[in-house]
Amino acid sequence: MQSGGGARGSRADQADQRRAELLEAARRVVLERGLASTRVADIAKATNVSGGLIHYHFATKDDLITEMLRSTSESEIQRLREIAAERGGAVERLDRVLRFYIPASRSDQSWILWLDAWAVGVREAHVRTILLELEGAWIEILAEVISQGAETGEFTCDDPQGAAERIDGMLDGLVVRYTLHAGGMSRSRLLHHARVAAAREVGLSPAVFEEQSPAPED
């Protein structure tokens, strides 16, 4: 006979699983329809459940979207921290971080989601909060890598925070151009620009990055 505690635990696990399924469905629907156009009814249809069940787990659409974005953001931040912490010299670690940040392709689902969120975040505070958290974490991790490289003497940089902010701002603009097919921007050229900017910030020649690994195929 199952104890009361075991039954409660099982129900909690089922609820967590259902929430995870709804969050994944919300992400799929948002990628298809866009944040602004997504309705609770669309997510309900995608998961073959009632809108009432969704509202049982998430009081409002904003709550659902916020948790979906935060879950996605936390997963990406965790992966970036793992990449930055992997063994290697400062140049190798910085290059890994840069390569992780830029889109894998113009159809990179993560970047499409965040570009959409940027547009919505101008007016929606709950979306803007997630974006600021993600941006802040990325800059923090990048600054840590640069700072550690300066401490070991591999980099020359007296303002790692400022360097990280400048690299971040430049990359965001270039990623938009790349994703929109603007100006003939290719992925290899995007990575080249990222490496040039990073090298200048840490007092090195861009050639040191090419020695780590060649630019990707477009």
Side-chain angles (χ1 to χ4, degrees):
M1 182 175 177
Q2 189 175 35
S3 67
R8 286 193 296 273
S10 177
R11 286 195 295 271
D13 290 343
Q14 291 174 0
D16 288 344
Q17 181 178 351
R18 173 60 74 181
R19 286 174 67 87
E21 292 170 352
L22 293 174
L23 291 174
E24 178 56 31
R27 188 175 189 274
R28 292 197 307 270
V29 172
V30 165
L31 284 168
E32 178 182 344
R33 297 180 58 89
L35 277 169
S37 299
T38 294
R39 305 169 302 167
V40 169
D42 300 320
I43 300 170
K45 182 178 180 180
T47 51
N48 197 30
V49 301
S50 68
L53 179 61
I54 292 178
H55 284 301
Y56 172 79
H57 291 281
F58 304 96
T60 66
K61 172 194 164 182
D62 285 354
D63 289 343
L64 173 56
I65 295 301
T66 298
E67 188 158 341
M68 181 274 289
L69 291 174
R70 175 162 282 119
S71 175
T72 302
S73 172
E74 289 176 349
S75 176
E76 293 184 6
I77 291 169
Q78 178 59 33
R79 180 58 185 143
L80 180 58
R81 291 192 186 282
E82 292 170 356
I83 288 173
E86 289 175 4
R87 297 180 63 179
V91 172
E92 180 182 358
R93 293 174 62 228
L94 178 54
D95 198 45
R96 283 200 304 261
V97 169
L98 295 176
R99 293 171 71 93
F100 176 80
Y101 190 75
I102 68 174
S105 69
R106 286 189 172 87
S107 59
D108 186 304
Q109 298 295 281
S110 176
W111 265 104
I112 289 174
L113 175 64
W114 294 121
L115 289 173
D116 188 16
W118 281 354
V120 174
V122 172
R123 293 180 175 82
E124 301 291 341
H126 64 286
V127 174
R128 184 165 60 250
T129 296
I130 305 298
L131 290 169
L132 292 175
E133 291 173 358
L134 177 62
E135 194 85 353
W138 149 251
I139 292 174
E140 176 189 352
I141 294 167
L142 180 57
E144 287 175 359
V145 171
I146 295 173
S147 178
Q148 290 164 5
E151 289 173 2
T152 61
E154 296 169 82
F155 294 158
T156 300
C157 180
D158 58 7
D159 182 15
Q161 178 70 21
E165 291 171 353
R166 288 187 289 274
I167 293 170
D168 169 71
M170 185 208 68
L171 281 179
D172 284 348
L174 289 177
V175 166
V176 172
R177 289 188 62 194
Y178 169 69
T179 304
L180 297 179
H181 298 256
M185 180 67 65
S186 65
R187 185 168 186 268
S188 60
R189 188 163 179 77
L190 175 56
L191 178 59
H192 172 73
H193 286 320
R195 285 170 162 174
V196 169
R200 288 173 177 168
E201 291 287 356
V202 300
L204 297 176
S205 165
V208 299
F209 288 106
E210 299 298 337
E211 295 169 2
Q212 297 299 312
S213 57
E217 295 293 330
D218 295 325

